């Protein structure tokens, strides 16, 4: 086993049967159990998505946890925000078996603290070291199956938060595509509870889209239902329900959804540095503060807890209402969108034009060092929270190393499309000069 290959910055993931298998799951359970006992007590919550390989990994994971003396709370199957919610309710570390929107032949694990937010890099490394070095505790653990109880509690709590954040009476038809993932059945049920008529176009109650990622090219049937007038709104979630896509008469951008959520929550916000300036302008208009952090869910949520804000997110489809749980919830976001006059909310948002692109590099650290030097020749750097952020005459530009691939990612934006188009060639030349 090569833990360095599957332990990523934010989670654990690899090809099932090759990089991750039952033996891996059991040893991970022992490593996580050891880490948990030494830092957070003797309980852990376990859940999974509804992928076939997740069923095969669950028992050995639980066996590994119990072998270290951990009392396991098995909460069954559900989206990752459900797992984080259960961990928070029990004041316990939680683990979700999922590889999120990765291809179906992958699987993995997401680890959350007792507060509900995902493990940061340092603690992922500590678990990896325990796994690799086999520095493992032993003991006699236990198992408590609580799926029915916790599902009922989760439904009740998310209904309360969804209803509280809806700004209008729900009188619309919503087309839903869960891609057969962990929100299947649950999302349509909760939408109906707040008053929506639901057209569930999910084809099966198991994952069938590969990869289970709600990108526009995978959502043509959803788009068709709205375009042809069968539905007013289209919503889709990924495999583990932490990411959402929305369609009205077009696919909304992640920045637009973020702005809609910010208006509903009406509190201070933590956002990743690649978020559009439109959100900052919106927050200024409402007398609220925005805090920026590195791109990546653990960094965003860690900062959100530190700053005690109401909302945290990233423009990649991840949004968390902290009063519910400090983890991204596609379901709660879906409820808010359904209960919002979306066009009215968008009209209140400042208009920016955004262009995102990326390119591959051999060495991200070396590339970023050279890009920074190139940028400094012509522009003032205004932030180094994650990579570099700088201003041209009319544009704001963020250049950062990808957290998951050998790429450098670029986001440029301006208040006028013509300004962005005019300056984009020079921006491309500057950031790709190395």
């Amino acid at each position: 086993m090569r833990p360095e290959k599957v332990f990523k910055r934010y989670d654990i993931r690899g090809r099932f049967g090759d990089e991750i298998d039952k033996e891996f799951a059991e040893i991970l359970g022992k490593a996580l159990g050891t880490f948990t006992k030494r830092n957070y007590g003797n309980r852990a919550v376990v859940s999974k998505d509804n992928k076939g390989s997740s069923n095969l990994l669950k028992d050995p994971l639980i066996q590994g946890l119990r072998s270290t003396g951990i009392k396991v709370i098995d909460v069954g199957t559900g989206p990752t925000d459900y797992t984080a919610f259960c961990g928070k309710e029990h004041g316990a570390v939680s683990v979700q078996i999922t590889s999120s929107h990765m291809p179906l032949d992958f699987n993995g694990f997401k680890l959350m603290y007792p507060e509900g937010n995902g493990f940061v890099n340092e603690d992922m490394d500590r678990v990896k070291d325990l796994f690799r070095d086999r520095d493992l505790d032993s003991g006699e653990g236990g198992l408590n199956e609580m799926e029915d109880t916790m599902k009922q509690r989760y439904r009740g709590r998310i209904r309360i938060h969804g209803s509280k954040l809806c700004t209008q009476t729900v009188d619309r038809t919503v087309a839903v595509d869960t891609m057969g993932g962990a929100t299947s059945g649950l999302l349509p049920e909760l939408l109906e509870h707040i008053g929506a008529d639901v057209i569930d176009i999910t084809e099966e109650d198991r994952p069938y889209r590969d990869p289970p990622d709600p990108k526009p090219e995978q959502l043509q049937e959803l788009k068709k239902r709205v375009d042809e007038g069968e539905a007013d709104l289209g919503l889709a979630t990924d495999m583990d329900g932490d990411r959402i896509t929305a369609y009205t008469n077009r696919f909304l951008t992640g920045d637009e959804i973020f702005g809609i959520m910010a208006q509903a929550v009406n509190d201070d916000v933590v956002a990743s540095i690649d978020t559009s300036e439109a959100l900052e302008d919106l927050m200024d208009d409402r007398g609220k503060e925005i805090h920026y952090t590195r791109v990546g869910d653990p960094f965003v949520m860690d900062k959100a807890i530190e700053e005690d804000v109401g909302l945290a997110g990233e423009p990649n489809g991840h949004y968390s209402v902290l009063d519910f749980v400090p983890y991204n919830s596609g379901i709660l976001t879906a409820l808010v969108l359904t209960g919002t006059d979306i066009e009215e909310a968008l009209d209140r948002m400042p208009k920016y034009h955004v262009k995102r692109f990326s390119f591959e590099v051999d060495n991200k650290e070396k590339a970023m060092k050279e890009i920074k030097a190139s940028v400094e020749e012509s522009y003032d750097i205004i932030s180094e929270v994650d990579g570099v952020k700088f201003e041209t005459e009319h544009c704001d530009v963020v250049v950062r190393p990808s957290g998951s691939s050998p790429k450098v990612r670029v986001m440029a934006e301006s208040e006028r499309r013509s300004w962005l188009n005019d300056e984009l060639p020079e921006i491309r030349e500057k950031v790709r000069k190395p």
Side-chain angles (χ1 to χ4, degrees):
M1 295 184 188
R2 298 173 57 191
E4 66 277 1
K5 191 172 182 181
V6 297
F7 275 78
K8 309 297 183 180
R9 290 177 69 189
Y10 320 132
D11 57 14
I12 300 163
R13 59 182 185 272
R15 291 189 184 279
F16 178 72
D18 179 14
E19 298 165 328
I20 290 178
D21 56 16
K22 293 180 181 180
E23 182 183 2
F24 181 99
E26 183 173 355
I27 299 172
L28 176 64
K30 293 178 179 180
L32 179 60
T34 299
F35 173 85
T36 299
K37 278 185 65 179
R38 295 178 185 178
N39 296 278
Y40 294 103
N42 67 342
R43 294 190 302 167
V45 167
V46 172
S47 185
K48 63 178 181 64
D49 64 26
N50 57 335
K51 199 184 303 184
S53 59
S54 299
N55 298 332
L56 299 175
L57 294 171
K58 181 178 175 183
D59 285 346
L61 175 70
I62 290 175
Q63 183 178 340
L65 285 163
R66 292 180 64 181
S67 73
T68 66
I70 291 291
K71 297 176 181 177
V72 174
I73 302 166
D74 179 358
V75 296
T77 301
T80 303
D81 71 311
Y82 163 69
T83 310
F85 169 84
C86 294
K88 182 181 177 183
E89 288 288 291
H90 288 280
V93 164
S94 59
V95 53
Q96 171 83 342
I97 304 170
T98 187
S99 55
S100 192
H101 58 282
M102 298 291 288
L104 293 180
D105 61 342
F106 278 67
N107 215 322
F109 306 86
K110 292 186 175 183
L111 314 180
M112 282 77 72
Y113 296 111
E115 295 83 2
N117 56 314
F119 274 30
V120 296
N121 292 3
E122 293 80 3
D123 286 333
M124 289 295 294
D125 286 341
R126 292 170 72 186
V127 176
K128 179 175 68 176
D129 290 343
L130 291 169
F131 184 107
R132 183 187 59 223
D133 300 338
R134 301 296 196 269
D135 176 20
L136 307 170
D137 291 348
S138 61
E140 186 175 344
L143 177 63
N144 187 9
E145 297 182 352
M146 296 191 66
E147 180 170 14
D148 291 344
T149 299
M150 294 312 300
K151 280 278 179 68
Q152 183 177 359
R153 195 178 300 180
Y154 171 84
R155 284 186 177 95
R157 200 72 55 82
I158 203 168
R159 284 170 181 165
I160 291 171
H161 284 279
S163 297
K164 183 172 66 174
L165 294 172
C166 288
T167 57
Q168 66 175 18
T169 301
V170 176
D171 182 21
R172 61 178 14 158
T173 300
V174 181
V176 173
D177 188 352
T178 68
M179 301 191 155
T183 65
S184 295
L186 187 59
L187 176 55
E189 171 199 325
L190 290 167
L191 287 169
E192 288 174 347
H193 178 81
I194 65 169
D197 292 324
V198 176
I199 302 172
D200 187 359
I201 65 171
T202 303
E203 296 174 11
E204 302 178 43
D205 59 359
R206 61 181 178 82
Y208 58 90
R209 293 267 172 79
D210 196 4
D213 189 355
K215 291 185 176 181
E217 56 266 29
Q218 299 229 63
L219 301 175
Q220 292 309 299
E221 179 63 23
L222 188 80
K223 177 179 181 297
K224 178 181 176 184
R225 296 299 182 104
V226 178
D227 288 345
E228 293 184 352
E230 293 181 47
D232 307 298
L233 173 66
L235 298 170
T237 52
D238 69 342
M239 181 72 224
D240 71 322
D242 70 343
R243 188 180 302 239
I244 189 167
T245 298
Y247 184 82
T248 53
N249 58 350
R250 61 181 176 83
F251 286 102
L252 301 184
T253 69
D255 288 306
E256 288 173 328
I257 296 175
F258 207 164
I260 292 168
M261 292 297 293
Q263 292 176 61
V265 175
N266 197 32
D267 199 350
D268 293 346
V269 171
V270 164
S272 55
I273 192 66
D274 61 337
T275 302
S276 171
E277 291 284 331
L279 184 63
E280 183 171 343
D281 290 354
L282 179 68
M283 292 293 95
D284 286 344
D285 290 345
R286 301 173 78 87
K288 304 300 179 183
E289 191 170 357
I290 184 168
H291 307 270
Y292 290 107
T293 188
R294 293 173 62 185
V295 173
D297 171 64
F299 311 118
V300 173
M301 294 307 163
D302 195 46
K303 183 71 170 178
I305 292 173
E306 176 188 334
E307 298 292 345
D308 192 26
V309 300
L311 177 69
E314 303 176 84
N316 62 359
H318 285 158
Y319 315 100
S320 168
V321 177
L322 276 291
D323 278 351
F324 175 56
V325 67
Y327 202 89
N328 304 308
S329 176
I331 289 182
L332 184 52
T333 304
L335 298 180
V336 175
L337 291 171
T338 301
T340 297
D341 187 323
I342 291 175
E343 293 307 316
E344 186 177 288
L346 292 177
D347 285 343
R348 289 192 288 266
M349 292 182 62
K351 300 297 185 287
Y352 280 80
H353 301 277
V354 179
K355 178 68 176 178
R356 300 178 191 269
F357 61 93
S358 64
F359 54 92
E360 293 189 357
V361 295
D362 293 328
N363 184 311
K364 289 186 286 188
E365 184 177 351
K366 179 174 181 289
M368 286 304 306
K369 185 176 180 179
E370 293 174 347
I371 288 169
K372 180 182 176 183
S374 173
V375 167
E376 285 179 319
E377 294 174 0
S378 306
Y379 307 112
D380 291 330
I381 292 175
I382 58 177
S383 174
E384 294 184 56
V385 166
D386 191 355
V388 293
K389 182 176 183 178
F390 61 94
E391 290 179 325
T392 64
E393 185 178 359
H394 295 114
C395 297
D396 286 339
V397 185
V398 175
V399 187
R400 65 177 184 86
S402 170
S404 58
S405 60
K407 293 181 178 180
V408 167
R409 301 192 185 278
V410 183
M411 187 273 281
E413 68 175 337
S414 180
E415 292 180 275
R416 293 187 183 177
R417 189 184 302 276
S418 60
W419 289 345
L420 179 61
N421 291 339
D422 288 346
E423 295 188 11
L424 201 54
E426 183 179 349
I427 292 168
R428 286 183 182 273
E429 181 181 353
K430 272 294 178 186
V431 302
R432 298 194 69 165
K433 187 176 180 180

